């Protein structure tokens, strides 16, 4: 994609809204991103981002510019590092102030021996020193599925629990549920949960959204999604539809040429109508 514009209808004409433009170098790497805002029938420059890359194609830095007084003024610089395996390691943001770069934000990641991301620590530059702000930690099951995500805040010199999600999987790597909890007076308080069941191919066929009320899980309207082959299906997901329960009536399986057939299900396959 090199160009994306949106417009809105007003007084029987299309008015400019916003515009992104990307340019790519001979290696297919994005070397410019321009953002413009609509003003009457014109496009007006707003922001410009210019990244740089190393010989492996990893983005090592990026300059941000803002359109000020009919010219581009540099505003911030991002610098990025990677592990020997090419995993994203750190991100440093600096702000251009009084003709010099001033530290602003820094994040660093830690991985386990299997290459799983286990920790992100976020810091901000305060009083000429890096100050801890927030950390995200991740736990995994034996199959490498992320089962716990924990956010903590830095308070009075130590990490304090804030929020977490619990996501258990079955032996076929199907996500059974996704439960949110918040830290309240030294204990975890349930928030909401999504619960799913699957067919033999890892397609979600039912989903329920519940929230914790009066010490029990109660039906409630919320976001549900559809999973296909253990992955969220962005073509038919329900993320924008708010409902308590959803059922997939039928699933049609088509085997492409040269692809081995999937196992025969224990229920008959019917021609699908609407997916939900």
């Amino acid at each position: 994609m090199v160009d994306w514009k949106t417009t809105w209808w007003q007084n029987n004409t299309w008015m400019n809204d916003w515009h992104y433009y990307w340019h790519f170098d001979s290696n297919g790497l994005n070397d410019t991103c321009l953002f413009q805002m609509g003003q009457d029938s014109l496009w007006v420059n707003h922001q410009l981002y210019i990244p740089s890359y190393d010989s492996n194609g990893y983005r090592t830095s990026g300059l941000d510019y803002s359109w000020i007084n009919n010219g581009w003024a540099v505003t911030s610089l991002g610098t990025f590092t990677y592990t020997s395996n090419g995993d994203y390691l750190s991100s440093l943001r600096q702000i251009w102030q009084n003709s010099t770069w001033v530290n602003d934000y820094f994040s660093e990641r830690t991985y386990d021996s299997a290459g799983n991301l286990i920790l992100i620590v976020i810091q901000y530059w305060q009083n000429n020193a890096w100050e801890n702000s927030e950390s995200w930690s991740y736990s995994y099951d034996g199959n490498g599925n992320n089962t716990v995500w924990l956010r903590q805040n830095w308070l009075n010199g130590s990490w304090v629990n804030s929020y977490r999600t619990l996501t258990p999987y079955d032996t076929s790597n199907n996500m059974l549920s996704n439960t949110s909890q918040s830290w309240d007076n030294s204990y975890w308080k349930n928030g909401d949960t999504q619960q799913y069941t699957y067919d033999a191919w890892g397609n979600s066929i039912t989903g329920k959204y519940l929230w914790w009320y009066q010490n029990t899980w109660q039906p409630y309207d919320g976001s549900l999604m559809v999973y296909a082959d253990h992955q969220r299906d962005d073509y038919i997901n329900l993320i924008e539809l708010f409902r308590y329960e959803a059922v997939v009536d039928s699933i049609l399986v088509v085997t492409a040429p040269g692809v081995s057939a999937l196992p025969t299900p224990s229920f008959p396959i019917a021609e699908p109508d609407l997916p939900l």
Side-chain angles (χ1 to χ4, degrees):
M1 182 181 293
V2 296
D3 194 84
W4 183 13
K5 298 184 180 77
T6 66
T7 57
W8 53 289
W9 188 252
Q10 185 181 49
N11 298 327
N12 294 320
T13 187
W14 288 110
M15 305 294 294
N16 292 335
D17 189 11
W18 49 261
H19 173 210
Y20 281 99
Y21 170 77
W22 297 272
H23 182 268
F24 296 84
D25 64 18
S26 59
N27 296 315
L29 298 173
N30 172 221
D31 58 13
T32 304
C33 180
L34 172 65
F35 176 60
Q36 299 175 315
M37 298 289 291
Q39 185 176 11
D40 298 326
S41 60
L42 303 175
W43 290 113
V44 178
N45 290 332
H46 187 67
Q47 288 181 305
L48 177 68
Y49 181 71
I50 300 179
S52 298
Y53 303 86
D54 63 16
S55 58
N56 295 316
Y58 297 129
R59 183 169 56 109
T60 55
S61 65
L63 278 169
D64 279 298
Y65 297 83
S66 294
W67 187 255
I68 300 175
N69 298 325
N70 293 320
W72 289 113
V74 64
T75 55
S76 65
L77 169 67
T79 305
F80 315 99
T81 65
Y82 302 84
T83 68
S84 58
N85 295 324
D87 296 318
Y88 183 45
L89 181 60
S90 69
S91 173
L92 169 65
R93 184 176 66 208
Q94 295 173 302
I95 306 298
W96 186 250
Q97 289 181 348
N98 301 321
S99 301
T100 189
W101 290 113
V102 178
N103 290 332
D104 178 52
Y105 166 95
F106 181 75
S107 69
E108 188 170 29
R109 301 185 175 205
T110 302
Y111 299 85
D112 63 17
S113 58
N116 295 314
L117 175 65
I118 57 175
L119 180 66
I120 301 176
V121 176
I122 299 171
Q123 298 176 315
Y124 286 92
W125 189 253
Q126 301 285 341
N127 300 319
N128 293 320
W130 288 112
E131 178 78 16
N132 288 331
S133 175
E134 192 172 320
S135 71
W136 302 351
S137 59
Y138 305 81
S139 300
Y140 301 84
D141 63 18
N143 293 325
N145 298 305
N146 177 211
T147 56
V148 181
W149 174 72
L150 170 65
R151 184 178 68 200
Q152 295 179 306
N153 296 324
W154 186 256
L155 184 63
N156 299 325
S158 63
W159 292 111
V160 178
N161 291 332
S162 172
Y163 181 86
R164 73 177 181 180
T165 58
L166 306 177
T167 313
Y169 291 77
D170 63 18
T171 55
S172 297
N173 295 317
N174 297 312
M175 187 189 76
L176 298 176
S177 61
N178 186 32
T179 303
S180 67
Q181 297 178 323
S182 58
W183 189 251
D184 183 17
N185 295 324
S186 300
Y187 76 96
W188 287 109
K189 180 180 178 181
N190 289 327
D192 60 3
T193 186
Q194 302 166 349
Q195 300 175 353
Y196 299 94
T197 63
Y198 298 82
D199 64 14
W201 300 296
N203 303 307
S204 58
I205 54 176
T206 69
K208 289 184 179 181
Y209 182 90
L210 307 162
W211 72 315
W212 190 254
Y213 181 68
Q214 294 183 343
N215 293 322
T216 186
W217 290 113
Q218 300 284 347
Y220 199 71
D221 292 335
S223 299
L224 287 170
M225 292 174 282
V226 171
Y227 291 85
D229 193 22
H230 313 295
Q231 301 293 325
R232 191 180 76 183
D233 193 322
D234 287 328
Y235 292 102
I236 56 174
N237 76 74
L238 303 176
I239 196 167
E240 299 298 336
L241 301 180
F242 287 82
R243 58 199 305 167
Y244 154 62
E245 185 171 3
V247 177
V248 178
D249 292 328
S250 59
I251 297 173
L252 178 64
V253 177
V254 178
T255 302
V259 179
S260 59
L262 294 170
T264 302
S266 58
F267 52 87
I269 299 178
E271 289 292 332
D273 40 30
L274 293 177
L276 301 171

